[in-house]
């Protein structure tokens, strides 16, 4: 979790963002005016109707089932044009015997950085979504009839001649009437998720194979290290295994075997590299051994030369990352040079590390220690928890920065959003990972959740939704009614802690079930409801990065009477909408997984079908509004509160590793990765629960506290 921006891809100044938004808006308005004029002359009102976006019949999605598309994708993906030539740091450049002809013909109509003309066809995308040179727009005004004929022939406007290849509407399942949860075919819906994944993966494979970042709109790849880190390939690997995508797993494994190297002079984020790369390799090792029938490959069969490929790569990476822990306090540095085996302090915040980042490495290093028998991985990760707890924070709530030099906190900012979130998540998951053999982490979790209730939970006005706010100036300061989307991991995590991964019905039968568990499940349900409202409030049905809420002054305490509406009225003037507010600079959607993650946990634990239905509605919104033209896959959004939305031109690796994985699991039978047998890291990589055995133990104890929880001495 956390800020999820390890290489500064999203760090843009406010001026830069405003300039980009303004230029895009200007281009969009110009294109709309030209289109309206041309369509009025050539096609009449029907073309205008086609141009307008519809919520019920999406036009900005490609056809998964179009036979012509399937044939062309197969042919294009296997040609030298698609695969040949060394992909530069920005884009793949086609090569072939017809290259010169393609360049001359395609150059008449297309940017040279796109695919050749014969492949670069829209699939029912409005023209306003397609970037075109300015001279073409001017000529369209001067030579309307000539250009209308040419552009219509090449499929620029609305519906085109490829539509005739299939009598069915594009992605008809999106436009079809919804079945109720009890009668819905959830395995069929799960297949839609697989289709979305393969479209995303195949776009990456075609345009940016081996690159760490993928820009699906511009069809470019970008490296984060000189030889790449496998950022997307490794992060998405276990999702493909779960989906049984054997050929794609084989291709990814081949790249990991032949091309992946960590022997590079490169600074990387300790946290992000651990949860994504180390976690991804460890999860792939676990799944390929525990479930050999999923994406089966002879190369990783027992006794085969490549049997331990994933584990070997994980061990090599961990040997480099563990250098980050070589600080005076034992708290890891924010970055590490993987080639020099050297930890590096952060470049800002006075060199302090993010608290969440320092305390969200433990699942990965403990599991690796268990697999390899290398106890120092365990000891290094565990030491951090002791240093953090020795600060003696009030009510279990930790500030979001900590110095690696002396292990003390920097500032008083307390929140469960970025830089704070996964500290709390990993408390309960460390307890579950070792089969509840380390009660110290349950104690820390319970203390923190009490602190969240006491200091951060309040209710909105006028409707009474439960929220988790922030204390930017510490617990003595005022409450800020702000929730990052990241905070929406909490409903599922609270439910997981309350039940231990059992269903709620099973957990209630246990002798350990108490009124506290009952109250925790109630809070989990209420927060889940609020997070779903963050999606319902937005024009695209996709939540903003940050949402603010209207609360009383002073804020109501946790437990105060509140009666939020059960449903979200679609009326734009509905009362519930007054409770939510999204600032103009926070309208971006980064394809984040936290809400669908919690929906997955809530469905598995409560069995309430509404959580599946909410997930299905959310998935359809992603399909409706984030699909990219010409087989690019899906993109995050710069503005998710307008239709059509503004594309960000970036596919996050966690779109494949987390978001689509959680959709897949949400629509799967409950026996796929049962929650009482596994623990899932903060990047959605699955590890088994295990007994510590004689080699491992909890190597620290908490300092004594008084009755109020304050550290003594």
């Amino acid at each position: 979790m956390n800020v999820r921006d390890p290489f500064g891809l999203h760090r843009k100044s406010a001026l830069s963002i405003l300039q980009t938004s303004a230029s895009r808006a200007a281009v969009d308005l110009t294109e709309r005016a030209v289109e309206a004029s041309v369509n009025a002359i050539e096609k009449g009102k029907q073309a205008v109707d086609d141009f307008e976006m519809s919520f019920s019949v999406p036009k900005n999605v490609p056809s998964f089932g179009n036979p012509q598309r399937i044939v062309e994708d197969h042919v294009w993906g296997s040609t030298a044009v698609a695969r040949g030539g060394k992909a530069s740091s920005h884009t793949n450049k086609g090569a072939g015997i017809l290259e010169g002809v393609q360049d001359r013909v395609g150059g008449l109509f297309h940017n040279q950085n796109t695919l050749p003309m014969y492949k670069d066809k829209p699939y029912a995308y409005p023209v306003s979504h397609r970037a075109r040179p300015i001279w073409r727009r001017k000529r369209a005004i001067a030579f309307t009839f000539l250009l209308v004929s040419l552009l219509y022939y090449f499929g620029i406007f609305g519906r085109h001649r490829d539509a005739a290849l299939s009598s069915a509407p594009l992605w008809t399942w999106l436009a079809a009437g919804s079945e109720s949860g009890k009668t819905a075919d959830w395995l069929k819906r799960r297949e839609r998720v697989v289709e979305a994944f393969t479209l995303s993966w195949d776009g990456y494979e075609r345009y940016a194979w081996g690159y760490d970042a993928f820009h699906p709109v511009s069809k470019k790849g970008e490296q984060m290290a000189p030889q790449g880190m496998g950022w997307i390939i490794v992060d998405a690997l276990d999702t493909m295994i779960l989906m049984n995508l054997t050929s794609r797993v084989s291709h990814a494994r081949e790249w990991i075997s032949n091309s992946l190297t960590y022997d590079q002079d490169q600074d990387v984020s300790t946290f992000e590299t651990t949860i994504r790369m180390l976690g991804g390799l460890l999860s792939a090792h676990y799944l390929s051994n525990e479930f050999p029938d999923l994406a089966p490959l002879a190369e990783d069969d027992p006794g085969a030369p490549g049997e331990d490929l994933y584990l070997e790569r994980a061990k090599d990476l961990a040997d480099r990352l563990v250098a980050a822990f070589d600080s005076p306090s034992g708290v890891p540095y924010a970055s590490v040079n993987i080639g020099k085996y050297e930890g590096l302090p952060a470049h800002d915040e006075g060199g302090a590390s993010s608290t969440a980042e320092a305390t969200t490495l433990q699942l990965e290093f403990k599991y690796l220690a268990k697999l390899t028998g290398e106890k120092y991985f365990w000891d290094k990760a565990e030491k951090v928890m002791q240093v953090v707890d020795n600060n003696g924070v009030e009510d279990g709530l930790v500030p979001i920065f900590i110095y690696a030099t002396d292990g003390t906190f920097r500032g008083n900012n307390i929140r469960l959003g970025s830089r704070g979130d996964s500290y709390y998540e990993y408390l309960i998951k460390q307890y579950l990972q070792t089969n509840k053999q380390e009660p110290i982490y349950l104690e820390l979790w319970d203390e923190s959740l009490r602190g969240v209730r006491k200091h951060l939970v309040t209710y909105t006005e006028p409707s009474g939704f439960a929220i988790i706010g922030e204390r930017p100036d510490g617990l003595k300061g005022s409450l800020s009614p702000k929730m990052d989307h990241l905070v929406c991991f909490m409903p599922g995590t609270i439910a997981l802690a309350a039940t231990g991964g059992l269903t709620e019905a099973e957990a209630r039968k246990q002798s350990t079930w108490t009124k506290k568990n009952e109250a925790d499940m109630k809070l989990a349900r209420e927060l889940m409801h609020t997070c779903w409202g963050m999606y319902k409030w937005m024009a695209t049905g996709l939540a903003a990065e940050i949402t603010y809420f209207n609360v009383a002054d002073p804020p109501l305490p946790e437990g105060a009477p509140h009666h939020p509406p059960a449903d979200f009225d679609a009326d734009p003037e509905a009362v519930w909408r007054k409770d939510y507010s999204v600032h103009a600079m926070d309208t971006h959607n980064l394809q984040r997984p936290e809400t669908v993650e919690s929906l997955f946990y809530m469905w598995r634990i409560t069995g309430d079908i509404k959580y599946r239905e909410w997930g299905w509605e959310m998935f359809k919104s992603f399909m409706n509004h984030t699909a990219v033209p010409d087989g690019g896959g899906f993109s995050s959004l710069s503005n998710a509160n307008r239709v059509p939305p503004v594309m960000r031109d970036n596919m996050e690796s966690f779109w494949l590793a987390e978001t689509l994985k959680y959709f897949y699991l949400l629509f799967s039978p409950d026996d796929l990765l049962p929650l009482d047998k596994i623990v899932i890291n903060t990047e959605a990589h699955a590890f088994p629960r295990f007994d510590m055995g004689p080699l491992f133990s909890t190597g620290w104890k908490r300092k004594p506290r008084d009755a109020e929880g304050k550290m003594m001495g």
Side-chain angles (χ1 to χ4, degrees), residues 72 76 99 106 117 123 153 168 197 218 226 278 303-304 489 654 676:
E72 289 186 351
W76 173 257
E99 180 181 358
M117 184 61 189
Y123 283 84
Y153 175 80
F197 181 94
S218 55
L278 183 58
F489 83 95
F654 51 72
D676 60 338

Side-chain angles (χ1 to χ4, degrees), residues 322 324-333 358 361-362 379-385 387 403-407:
V322 78
F325 294 88
D326 293 336
S327 69
S329 70
V331 171
Y333 290 112
L361 313 168
Q362 285 65 31
D379 294 340
K380 292 282 190 180
E382 182 182 64
K383 173 67 174 177
V384 183
M385 305 306 300
V387 173
Y403 289 108
T405 50
D406 60 9

Side-chain angles (χ1 to χ4, degrees), residues 128-141:
S128 59
H129 283 203
R130 302 178 56 79
R132 295 174 297 165
I134 187 68
W135 63 263
R136 189 200 298 169
R137 295 197 297 272
K138 291 181 178 179
R139 185 174 295 181
I141 299 173

Side-chain angles (χ1 to χ4, degrees), residues 217-236:
V217 177
S218 55
K219 311 294 191 294
K220 298 176 181 178
E222 186 177 354
Q223 292 292 35
M224 297 175 176
Q227 300 177 62
M229 291 283 293
W231 208 252
I232 291 175
I233 294 173
V234 173
D235 213 9

Side-chain angles (χ1 to χ4, degrees), residues 20 93 146:
T20 300
K93 294 183 179 180
L146 175 61

Side-chain angles (χ1 to χ4, degrees), residues 502-521:
L502 299 173
T503 66
E504 187 177 16
E506 293 171 329
R508 287 177 182 277
K509 299 175 184 178
Q510 306 291 314
S511 60
T512 54
W513 187 263
T514 65
K515 290 183 178 180
K516 175 188 177 301
N517 300 106
E518 196 78 42
D520 288 351
M521 287 303 302

Side-chain angles (χ1 to χ4, degrees), residues 225-534:
Q227 300 177 62
M229 291 283 293
W231 208 252
I232 291 175
I233 294 173
V234 173
D235 213 9
L237 181 59
D238 62 348
T239 305
M240 292 189 289
I241 294 175
L242 285 171
M243 292 181 176
N244 204 25
L245 300 174
T246 307
S247 63
R248 293 172 177 83
V249 171
S250 179
H251 192 199
R253 181 187 171 87
E254 178 185 11
W255 187 90
I256 292 170
S257 177
N258 298 329
S259 301
L260 179 59
T261 177
Y262 297 119
D263 189 16
Q264 305 183 60
D265 183 6
Q266 178 66 41
D267 300 344
V268 302
S269 163
T270 305
F271 162 74
E272 296 284 358
T273 308
T274 297
I275 65 168
R276 301 193 198 206
M277 300 297 95
L278 183 58
L281 290 166
L282 291 173
S283 181
H285 173 79
Y286 165 61
L287 294 177
S288 62
N289 283 275
E290 186 69 18
F291 306 100
D293 293 334
L294 289 177
L297 297 174
E299 298 94 312
D300 58 15
D301 286 347
E307 175 185 4
D308 293 324
L309 172 66
Y310 303 137
L311 182 57
E312 290 168 357
R313 290 290 188 271
K315 173 66 163 54
D316 177 36
L317 178 59
D319 284 338
R320 300 166 188 274
L321 292 173
V322 78
F325 294 88
D326 293 336
S327 69
S329 70
V331 171
Y333 290 112
S335 300
V336 61
N337 186 297
I338 56 174
K340 297 179 180 179
Y341 296 77
E342 179 184 358
L344 303 167
H347 299 299
D348 54 6
E349 298 299 335
S353 299
S354 157
T355 304
E357 293 184 1
T359 56
T360 310
L361 313 168
Q362 285 65 31
L363 296 183
E364 295 79 6
F365 277 95
K366 284 184 171 182
Y367 180 39
L368 180 62
K370 181 67 175 179
L371 289 171
T372 63
E374 300 286 357
K375 190 172 183 293
Y376 69 92
F377 288 133
W378 182 290
D379 294 340
K380 292 282 190 180
E382 182 182 64
K383 173 67 174 177
V384 183
M385 305 306 300
Q386 181 181 16
V387 173
V388 170
D389 191 56
N390 283 349
N391 279 275
V393 297
E394 182 178 352
D395 294 327
L397 301 179
V398 297
I400 62 173
F401 290 104
I402 186 170
Y403 289 108
T405 50
D406 60 9
T408 60
F409 290 114
R410 172 184 170 87
N412 300 306
N413 193 342
I414 291 174
R415 66 184 184 217
L416 269 67
S418 63
R419 304 191 181 280
D421 52 358
S422 47
Y423 163 75
Y424 305 96
E425 176 190 0
Y426 268 37
L427 292 179
I428 190 60
K429 288 185 176 180
Q430 285 186 79
Y431 172 65
L432 297 175
Q433 182 183 36
T434 52
N435 281 325
K436 305 181 181 181
Q437 294 173 351
E438 297 185 277
I440 192 170
Y441 296 113
L442 177 62
E443 180 183 338
L444 288 168
W445 163 261
D446 286 340
E447 183 179 303
S448 295
L449 187 57
R450 286 195 299 270
V452 169
R453 289 180 177 277
K454 179 179 178 181
H455 298 286
L456 303 181
V457 171
T458 188
Y459 306 100
T460 64
E461 290 186 332
S463 304
F465 296 105
I467 68 166
I468 295 178
E470 300 180 357
R471 297 278 182 177
D473 299 314
L475 298 184
K476 305 304 181 185
S478 60
L479 180 76
S480 171
K482 164 182 172 282
M483 275 180 67
D484 292 355
H485 184 274
L486 292 165
V487 181
C488 288
F489 83 95
M490 271 298 277
T493 303
I494 293 172
L496 175 66
T499 64
L502 299 173
T503 66
E504 187 177 16
E506 293 171 329
R508 287 177 182 277
K509 299 175 184 178
Q510 306 291 314
S511 60
T512 54
W513 187 263
T514 65
K515 290 183 178 180
K516 175 188 177 301
N517 300 106
E518 196 78 42
D520 288 351
M521 287 303 302
K522 181 176 184 292
L523 178 60
R525 285 182 167 91
E526 291 184 350
L527 292 172
M528 188 77 264
H529 193 58
T530 302
C531 287
W532 178 231
M534 292 162 66

Side-chain angles (χ1 to χ4, degrees), residues 465-466 483 485 488 491 524-538 540-544 547 549 565-569 576 580 594-596 598-599 610-622 663:
F465 296 105
M483 275 180 67
H485 184 274
C488 288
R525 285 182 167 91
E526 291 184 350
L527 292 172
M528 188 77 264
H529 193 58
T530 302
C531 287
W532 178 231
M534 292 162 66
Y535 282 74
K536 299 294 288 183
W537 196 87
M538 298 288 284
T540 59
L542 297 172
T547 302
F549 296 88
D567 300 305
F568 294 95
D569 188 344
W576 71 269
Y580 290 73
E594 288 76 25
T595 298
V596 66
S598 280
L599 289 175
K610 74 180 180 184
Y611 298 124
R612 264 186 160 181
E613 288 292 356
W614 291 355
W616 178 242
E617 186 175 338
M618 185 193 304
F619 176 71
K620 289 193 295 182
S621 293
F622 275 116
F663 278 125

